Amino acid sequence: AAGVIQSPRHLIKEKRETATLKCYPIPRHDTVYWYQQGPGQDPQFLISFYEKMQSDKGSIPDRFSAQQFSDYHSELNMSSLELGDSALYFCASSFYSNEQFFGPGTRLTVL
Amino acid sequence: QKEVEQNSGPLSVPEGAIASLNCTYSDRGSQSFFWYRQYSGKSPELIMFIYSNGDKEDGRFTAQLNKASQYVSLLIRDSQPSDSATYLCAVSPQGNEKLTFGTGTRLTIIP
C-alpha cells in the first residue's frame, strides 16, 4: 500500500539559512499534518491542512510557514534557522477519519 | 502537568509474557485515542485506535478505554523481541484533528 512520502530524508543547514520540507500524502487523503520531534521528546503538532486550507495551528514559530497545493502535497518552509530547530519533522495524512499515518520523516540538522 | 501522561519506563517484559502500557489524559472532551509504536529514529507507526469505552482487540494487541477514569491502556500478548520500541499514546478532541502525544513508554522484551 502507498505510504506518505517525505523529502528530503536528511537535510543539513547552517544557522540563518532557509529550508523547505515536502510531503506527499497517501492518495485520496485530504488532510495533512506536520509534527516536530526533538531528541528524546514526543512529536509536537505544528500545523494542519484540510482540502488545501489551514485547519489548525499549533506551536509553530512565526519563522515557519506551510501550505498545501492543488495536488494535496504540502511544503513546510523554515527561515532564519536556529540550532534549536534541529529535529525530526514528520508529515502525517488522514482521510475523513482521524487515523493519521506518518511519513518516514525529515531529519533536519542545523549547524 | 502534561495533557497526556505515560510512564516513561523503561518497562522490561520477558518474551512470551503480557506487556501492559498505560496512559491517562486530562481533556475530558477527548474523543479519539491512539497507540503508536516508534523505533529509534523512525516514524510513529499506528498500532491501535479506539473511540468507545471498553476493549478492542487486534491480533496480539488489545486497547482498553475508560473515559470516566480518563484512562487508556494497551496490552501486548505473547511479547516478541521485535515489540521492543517506544509506545506513544496519542489523544485527539474529535475527528480529523491534531494529535497530542504522551512522552512514550520504552518497552524492552527480554529473550
Side-chain angles (χ1 to χ4, degrees), chain B residues 5-11 21-24 87 103-106:
Chain B
E5 298 268 7
Q6 293 181 253
N7 187 330
S8 61
L11 175 65
L21 305 166
N22 305 314
C23 171
T24 58
Y87 288 79
T103 51
T105 297
R106 191 188 311 171

Side-chain angles (χ1 to χ4, degrees), chain B residues 24-79:
Chain B
T24 58
Y25 60 95
S26 59
D27 183 0
R28 284 197 171 273
S30 300
Q31 297 292 328
S32 306
F33 307 87
F34 306 85
W35 284 100
Y36 284 85
R37 177 175 63 196
Q38 188 174 30
Y39 296 110
S40 181
K42 303 296 184 183
S43 62
E45 174 190 2
L46 182 63
I47 297 177
M48 293 284 293
F49 58 90
I50 186 167
Y51 304 141
S52 304
N53 277 328
D55 294 0
K56 180 181 180 183
E57 185 175 321
D58 184 1
R60 296 188 295 113
F61 300 95
T62 298
Q64 300 174 316
L65 173 61
N66 184 326
K67 288 186 178 180
S69 301
Q70 296 175 241
Y71 174 88
V72 193
S73 68
L74 179 70
L75 299 178
I76 306 175
R77 289 181 299 281
D78 188 23
S79 297

Side-chain angles (χ1 to χ4, degrees), chain A residues 9 30-31 33 35 37 40-45 48 50 55-58 88 90 94-105 107, chain B residues 2 6 31-34 36 38 40-46 49 51 56 88 91-104:
Chain A
R9 295 292 307 278
D30 53 16
T31 307
Y33 311 79
Y35 293 87
Q37 187 174 29
Q41 298 180 2
D42 53 285
Q44 295 291 315
F45 171 74
S48 63
Y50 170 67
S55 53
D56 198 3
K57 195 172 182 179
L88 272 167
F90 293 110
S94 71
F95 172 71
Y96 185 70
S97 70
N98 200 24
E99 299 149 42
Q100 296 180 27
F101 297 91
F102 282 69
R107 182 176 294 279
Chain B
K2 275 184 67 74
Q6 293 181 253
Q31 297 292 328
S32 306
F33 307 87
F34 306 85
Y36 284 85
Q38 188 174 30
S40 181
K42 303 296 184 183
S43 62
E45 174 190 2
L46 182 63
F49 58 90
Y51 304 141
K56 180 181 180 183
L88 296 164
V91 172
S92 179
Q94 38 188 314
N96 243 14
E97 295 198 9
K98 67 179 181 183
L99 297 176
T100 299
F101 286 88
T103 51

Side-chain angles (χ1 to χ4, degrees), chain A residues 18 29 74 87 89 108:
Chain A
T18 297
H29 279 197
S74 178
Y89 290 84
L108 173 65

